[in-house]
Amino acid sequence: MEIIKHQTTQGIEVTVKGRLDAYWADHLTGALAEIIREGIHHITLNLRDVVYISSAGIRVLLQTHKQLKGLHGMLQISHFSDQVQSVLDMAGLTALLRSSSPPVTE
């Protein structure tokens, strides 16, 4: 898996590529925790290139969403791969995590 951080005017965009399974979920948790410790509380995830997401990956998304909400921040997903879209739809989480603003561009 690859995690790429890009500073934007709205906060930070994190692009994730590869599999978001139990092993890689810990790496994403660490990367997001580091961003939050730096004082950035508006995070946009680009999951366009995620080919698989497990329950551990969903847990990372929900925990980070809850943590940022408590800090008056926001976690939003700007792009979903078809695989991620399908899993989040089945779990009923798409509306919670979908960006209500236009996707962040470079």
Side-chain angles (χ1 to χ4, degrees):
M1 183 173 75
E2 186 177 3
I3 301 170
I4 303 164
K5 302 173 195 172
H6 176 74
Q7 190 71 41
T8 68
T9 56
Q10 294 91 6
I12 194 161
E13 181 181 43
V14 178
T15 300
V16 181
K17 298 180 180 183
R19 294 176 56 88
L20 187 44
D21 55 20
Y23 178 77
W24 290 108
D26 289 338
H27 293 277
L28 182 58
T29 297
L32 295 172
E34 180 182 327
I35 292 167
I36 293 168
R37 278 193 305 273
E38 291 172 358
I40 299 170
H41 298 150
H42 289 83
I43 300 173
T44 301
L45 286 178
N46 181 334
L47 303 179
R48 180 184 319 206
D49 296 319
V50 173
V51 296
Y52 172 80
I53 186 167
S54 70
S55 59
I58 292 171
R59 185 178 62 246
V60 171
L61 301 180
L62 292 175
Q63 287 175 338
T64 305
H65 173 78
K66 183 178 178 180
Q67 181 181 11
L68 288 170
K69 189 174 181 181
L71 296 168
H72 303 289
M74 178 177 22
L75 174 71
Q76 56 189 9
I77 300 177
S78 62
H79 297 92
F80 295 95
S81 66
D82 290 340
Q83 296 85 350
V84 171
Q85 178 81 51
S86 176
V87 170
L88 294 179
D89 283 349
M90 283 189 286
L93 299 171
T94 304
L96 177 69
L97 298 171
R98 171 65 74 185
S99 171
S100 59
S101 60
V104 177
T105 58
E106 296 181 32

